[in-house]
Amino acid sequence: MKQTAKRWTALAVAMAMMVVLAACGGDKPSTPANSGTPSPSSSQPAGDSGYPKEPVKVVCSWAAGGQADVVCRILTELLSQQLGVPVIVENVTGNGGQVAAIEYMQAEADGYTLLYTSDVVQFLAPRVAAAQYDPAQMIPLCTTASNGFGLIVNTDTGVTSLAELKSYADQTGVITVGVTGKTGAITYELLNALFQEMGVHAEFMVFDNGPAVAMEVVGKHIDCGIAIDPQCDPYVQDGSVNYIASFLEDGHAVEGGGTIPSVSSQGYQITCANPNMIVAKAGTDQAVLDTLVAALKNCQSDFEAKCAQLGYTPNMTFESDLTDYLAELDALYAAMAEGK
């Protein structure tokens, strides 16, 4: 659990430029992003609160078919079985999850509308831009799975490493890059940090989701883009893209395609595996929160097994472990925003 958070340490150094982004994007929150947020317990089994009596909606912050959406639907299917009512997924996309967070602010604090989001939306984005949502209104119930990211390149470039990408960029003057959001979106922040450290001039283009980015690279419409594991593996296996670097500390293993070398092994100390999470609205009755957490804990074994089968990295964290984990992330992102 804490190992994932520590993987961000090098990223904090590489992303010192976020101070500039904060100055350009608007005021930072006057208090820490998660200040005073209560932590739900799981003292009551599902059903003791009389909740739920009707279907539950989960607002998924990313497009249907993407990695986060797939993981979200694995969890909601299991959660539905535990709660005994339908759990419906509604996809609301835009700017790395921030659009969904804005919409979620309109939800009632009754446990019937939950948000599937990420640590970045709650702790980083509000610190580097003027957020139109209040992260203190989000009560994390549990983390779910950690995302792996990397860099895929158009095969026509002939680029197979970061060193070759640097040479290619120096020759062309600018490279086109696909991401899923701009300031505050992890896909942008990672690649922006990397290219700034490399001294590469990049023109960023925003797409709705990771698969859309991959298709632009496969179609040779852009030079490179963010890779989201393991959804880019088939393109590596059939040679449609060159997957040249992984932001995971140990690289990314592709069945039949070897292990993609890490960014850090190629000389740039930037690593990342950020967790997604499911949250409830602040003000929700504690008995409802207890019911939800108990149901989620009952899902854990099956959820982790199904994620592993699909090549995703489950990372379910609850209660005191969750509180400690999120406190580490909160402090880390605060340091990033302050340029430390």
Side-chain angles (χ1 to χ4, degrees):
M1 175 271 298
K2 293 185 178 180
Q3 181 180 9
T4 302
K6 290 178 181 176
R7 289 176 178 171
W8 283 88
T9 304
L11 180 58
V13 177
M15 294 172 70
M17 74 291 293
M18 285 187 173
V19 178
V20 178
L21 292 175
C24 295
D27 297 333
K28 293 182 291 184
S30 59
T31 58
N34 200 36
S35 177
T37 300
S39 298
S41 66
S42 60
S43 57
Q44 297 184 26
D48 280 7
S49 66
Y51 163 91
K53 298 178 180 178
E54 59 188 69
V56 174
K57 180 173 72 175
V58 174
V59 177
C60 180
S61 303
W62 299 279
Q67 174 180 350
D69 174 71
V70 172
V71 172
C72 178
R73 289 175 188 275
I74 292 172
L75 183 63
T76 53
E77 179 180 353
L78 295 170
L79 186 59
S80 177
Q81 295 171 13
Q82 291 294 323
L83 294 176
V85 298
V87 178
I88 302 163
V89 176
E90 177 184 313
N91 298 91
V92 178
T93 65
N95 205 20
Q98 295 180 63
V99 173
I102 294 170
E103 178 171 311
Y104 188 65
M105 290 300 101
Q106 308 304 315
E108 295 292 333
D110 56 9
Y112 286 99
T113 304
L114 308 175
L115 176 66
Y116 191 67
T117 186
S118 76
D119 61 327
V120 172
V121 171
Q122 186 163 18
F123 299 113
L124 175 58
R127 286 188 163 103
V128 298
Q132 299 178 51
Y133 59 92
D134 180 5
Q137 291 296 308
M138 304 175 189
I139 302 178
L141 302 177
C142 73
T143 53
T144 59
S146 295
N147 291 325
F149 300 106
L151 181 62
I152 52 174
V153 180
N154 178 336
T155 56
D156 280 358
T157 65
V159 168
T160 60
S161 69
L162 290 179
E164 291 178 3
L165 182 63
K166 168 65 173 170
S167 297
Y168 176 82
D170 288 344
Q171 293 171 5
T172 60
V174 62
I175 59 173
T176 51
V177 185
V179 290
T180 60
K182 290 298 284 291
T183 303
I186 190 59
T187 58
Y188 168 78
E189 300 294 0
L190 277 174
L191 293 188
N192 188 49
L194 175 61
F195 293 146
Q196 289 209 25
E197 189 169 335
M198 291 175 65
V200 167
H201 182 201
E203 178 184 342
F204 288 94
M205 305 173 69
V206 178
F207 299 93
D208 282 344
N209 52 58
V213 171
M215 290 308 299
E216 291 295 314
V217 178
V218 170
K220 308 184 189 307
H221 304 302
I222 57 177
D223 292 319
C224 58
I226 196 74
I228 300 179
D229 306 325
Q231 291 187 334
C232 284
D233 290 6
Y235 303 123
V236 177
Q237 293 163 342
D238 67 15
S240 298
V241 301
N242 292 339
Y243 195 157
I244 67 170
S246 168
F247 286 102
L248 294 176
E249 190 172 32
D250 299 321
H252 170 59
V254 178
E255 184 177 353
T259 298
I260 309 302
S262 66
V263 170
S264 58
S265 72
Q266 298 181 64
Y268 303 96
Q269 298 305 310
I270 306 175
T271 57
C272 168
N274 77 295
N276 289 336
M277 64 183 78
I278 189 163
V279 308
K281 191 80 176 289
T284 302
D285 186 86
Q286 186 62 47
V288 172
L289 298 178
D290 291 343
T291 297
L292 285 166
V293 171
L296 287 164
K297 291 184 76 172
N298 288 338
C299 295
Q300 183 170 4
S301 178
D302 288 340
F303 173 76
E304 292 181 346
K306 290 188 177 184
C307 283
Q309 288 174 1
L310 295 174
Y312 300 127
T313 305
N315 179 23
M316 293 192 83
T317 310
F318 296 92
E319 300 172 320
S320 61
D321 286 341
L322 175 63
T323 300
D324 292 344
Y325 187 10
L326 296 183
E328 289 179 4
L329 293 171
D330 191 20
L332 178 58
Y333 292 137
M336 285 183 188
E338 293 170 5
K340 295 180 180 178

